[in-house]
Amino acid sequence: MADKKAQLIIEGAAPVELPVLTGTVGPDVIDVRSLTSTGHFTFDPGFMSTASCESKITYIDGDKGILLHRGYPIEQLAEKSDYLETCYLLLNGELPTAEQKAQFVSTVKNHTMVHEQLKSFLNGFRRDAHPMAIMCGVVGALSAFYHDSLDINDPHHREISAVRLVAKMPTIAAMVYKYSIGQPLMYPRNDLSYSENFLHMMFNTPCEIKPISPVLAKAMDRIFILHADHEQNASTSTVRLAGSTGANPFACIAAGIAALWGPAHGGANEAVLTMLDEIGDVSNVEKFLAKAKDKNDPFKLMGFGHRVYKNFDPRAKVMKQSADEVLDLLGVENNPTLQVAKELEKAALADPYFAEKKLFPNVDFYSGIILEAMGFPTSMFTPIFALSRTVGWISQWKEMIGDPQLKIGRPRQLYNGETLRDYVDIENR
Ligand code: CMC
């Protein structure tokens, strides 16, 4: 909706009138699309001030620490919903009725197995490869196995691809883990819930099927919910950019996985644990805080800070509570890593540098701690983020494909390289 106008004064040119768009909530947005006709572009590295799309899926108020999915607060979803219901909500816009939920859960369960040949595909990777490296390849390769659902212009194909991705990601993540430790791959069990099934495929073996703890399954499900979507972050924007070319959904999600891997984004959960190990002892906390504050040192406090949240990360609040429950259940309160984490959190929150720059623990600070306590190796933390986020990526991709305003993503640049010059023969250089 555009009811206001912004006026842009460019020296030596006539004023430009730009529409100001108003969403249902959140700041107004200046529509600069007509600016190119004046021979100007906007310059915004890192998209600090640029909305790249319209969306109805997720809303974040970074100052107030608010995160809503389709209008519902993340705290309520984490407490009252479950992951598959949240997936339905993200994909379809509304919470399902009991009948719709049962149907959706059953459809997802019908797609949990992966093509048998995918196993031999895994054998092409080194066993000591990082699971995210294998995930990028295997998920991208799904388009070679499920090419009966690749017509992006067919809503039924889009639906099937979305369900396949949500259903198969836990199977793939667990396969990648089992492959890396040389254990037999576990088939999914459709009598279990989504999170129980994932824990079963990760930690059981054909010779020992242990029951899954309901508390750990609940904690796992909550971790999935807390990572399910997060508006136009780097990996989601990557998925949208790749999708804007008409690329198939499996290829787009593989692109998202690659973008997520970086330590400034989803790779931070693994980086937190690496950092805590490096700190090693509570007596070293001050030294590492000083490193994080030193402009000449590239070290950053992993699990701290966020581009959008400048007060607190609402996911971190819920995750912290979950971490306390799980650590209590597993009796690991005296674990040295946890002691370092607690001391680091306390010291950073009391430090004026972090307060002034509005740096608070983000979701990844606590998720690594809880995942480690549950028995996951650090290299699996980011694949777990990827499997949880797949529903967000695919919901955003579906929204984009259905958007009549869709255009191929193609940013411009401020060129400051050499101007036109003639080629110089090699003997004259
Ligand atoms: N430790 C120390 N200083 C920091 C940190 C940190 N973790 N984060 C930001 N700063 C400083 C930064 O040096 C800069 O200082 P100055 O203004 O003096 O140059 C200032 O705070 C602003 O930081 P920025 O890097 O310009 O902020 P950004 O919005 O571009 O980056 C971030 C956000 C999350 C990439 C960054 O805070 C960071 O690298 N944090 C550590 C990695 C991390 O935990 N990432 C997970 C994010 S949450 C999960 C997800 O969504 O993927």
Side-chain angles (χ1 to χ4, degrees):
M1 205 177 108
D3 35 23
K4 281 197 277 181
K5 296 242 179 288
Q7 233 192 27
L8 181 68
I9 312 288
I10 306 172
E11 230 176 73
V16 187
E17 240 185 32
L18 300 166
V20 178
L21 310 180
T22 305
T24 48
V25 59
D28 289 349
V29 171
I30 302 169
D31 180 349
V32 295
R33 279 175 293 183
S34 62
L35 206 57
T36 53
S37 61
T38 70
H40 295 85
F41 304 123
T42 52
F43 181 60
D44 186 19
F47 303 106
M48 301 282 287
S49 307
T50 298
S52 60
C53 62
E54 283 187 39
S55 183
K56 292 181 173 24
I57 301 175
T58 291
Y59 173 74
I60 300 175
D61 182 327
D63 292 325
K64 296 199 184 115
I66 291 173
L67 168 60
L68 310 177
H69 290 322
R70 303 287 191 181
Y72 296 104
I74 189 65
E75 295 84 352
Q76 289 183 23
L77 292 171
E79 189 197 331
K80 300 180 181 183
S81 184
D82 57 58
Y83 181 66
L84 281 185
E85 184 178 73
T86 304
C87 289
Y88 184 99
L89 174 70
L90 288 167
L91 286 163
N92 300 296
E94 293 298 336
L95 286 168
T97 61
E99 200 183 321
Q100 287 168 331
K101 184 173 173 182
Q103 179 62 50
F104 181 70
V105 170
S106 147
T107 309
V108 169
K109 285 187 174 179
N110 270 320
H111 286 278
T112 50
M113 278 205 300
V114 291
H115 195 291
E116 198 61 11
Q117 215 173 311
L118 213 68
K119 279 202 224 164
S120 42
F121 186 70
L122 267 187
N123 290 332
F125 292 96
R126 284 173 58 136
R127 288 201 191 253
D128 60 355
H130 194 286
M132 282 298 276
I134 308 184
M135 295 282 286
C136 289
V138 172
V139 174
L142 290 179
S143 47
F145 288 90
Y146 301 103
H147 37 71
D148 57 339
S149 63
L150 296 186
D151 181 358
I152 62 159
N153 298 314
D154 181 334
H156 181 62
H157 279 214
R158 300 203 292 261
E159 207 59 50
I160 290 285
S161 290
V163 167
R164 279 181 166 153
L165 277 156
V166 170
K168 293 182 198 309
M169 282 298 277
T171 315
I172 293 171
M175 277 170 79
V176 167
Y177 171 61
K178 290 293 193 190
Y179 177 75
S180 74
I181 56 169
Q183 282 187 2
L185 310 182
M186 296 296 286
Y187 284 98
R189 266 184 52 191
N190 291 351
D191 59 319
L192 300 177
S193 73
Y194 192 84
S195 55
E196 284 170 336
N197 177 47
F198 178 58
L199 293 172
H200 159 74
M201 291 187 293
M202 281 290 302
F203 297 120
N204 279 334
T205 63
C207 50
E208 194 174 8
I209 308 280
K210 286 178 275 174
I212 305 299
S213 146
V215 178
L216 294 188
K218 175 87 193 138
M220 190 76 254
D221 199 74
R222 201 174 270 176
I223 290 173
F224 291 157
I225 295 176
L226 293 175
H227 288 94
D229 190 48
H230 212 229
E231 208 224 56
Q232 307 311 321
N233 54 81
S235 56
T236 303
S237 298
T238 302
V239 169
R240 280 187 177 257
L241 193 58
S244 76
T245 69
N248 76 68
F250 302 108
C252 296
I253 301 303
I257 293 173
L260 186 78
W261 194 1
H265 193 9
N269 51 15
E270 180 177 346
V272 168
L273 259 284
T274 310
M275 173 190 75
L276 294 176
D277 281 346
E278 204 186 331
I279 298 175
D281 189 84
V282 286
S283 60
N284 294 325
V285 163
E286 278 310 319
K287 191 172 90 197
F288 278 84
L289 271 192
K291 270 166 75 64
K293 294 189 281 184
D294 182 355
K295 275 248 153 275
N296 300 316
D297 191 324
F299 175 78
K300 275 191 177 181
L301 220 53
M302 288 294 130
F304 269 75
H306 198 274
R307 168 60 63 80
V308 184
Y309 295 122
K310 296 298 174 197
N311 214 333
F312 67 92
D313 178 343
R315 303 167 301 171
K317 264 195 163 177
V318 182
M319 193 68 89
K320 186 175 186 192
Q321 190 194 332
S322 232
D324 290 341
E325 281 166 25
V326 169
L327 297 173
D328 196 36
L329 175 87
L330 299 171
V332 288
E333 306 96 84
N334 292 323
N335 166 316
T337 313
L338 188 64
Q339 297 300 330
V340 172
K342 282 186 174 165
E343 190 52 38
L344 183 66
E345 181 193 14
K346 202 167 93 195
L349 288 175
D351 192 307
Y353 171 94
F354 293 90
E356 273 158 29
K357 296 197 184 296
K358 298 183 184 247
L359 302 169
F360 298 86
N362 58 51
V363 67
D364 286 333
F365 188 74
Y366 303 107
S367 66
I369 295 168
I370 180 170
L371 288 170
E372 187 187 58
M374 286 170 82
F376 288 99
T378 47
S379 61
M380 281 304 292
F381 294 0
T382 315
I384 289 170
F385 193 157
L387 98 76
S388 324
R389 182 56 58 83
T390 294
V391 71
W393 290 330
I394 201 71
S395 302
Q396 301 266 353
W397 173 83
K398 274 180 72 205
E399 181 179 67
M400 180 190 67
I401 299 294
D403 184 349
Q405 298 191 80
L406 170 64
K407 286 184 96 64
I408 183 169
R410 202 329 183 162
R412 304 303 295 251
Q413 63 171 9
L414 170 64
Y415 177 73
N416 52 20
E418 296 292 344
T419 54
L420 179 69
R421 51 183 173 166
D422 284 326
Y423 181 81
V424 182
D425 292 329
I426 196 156
E427 59 274 16
N428 297 327
R429 284 177 223 161

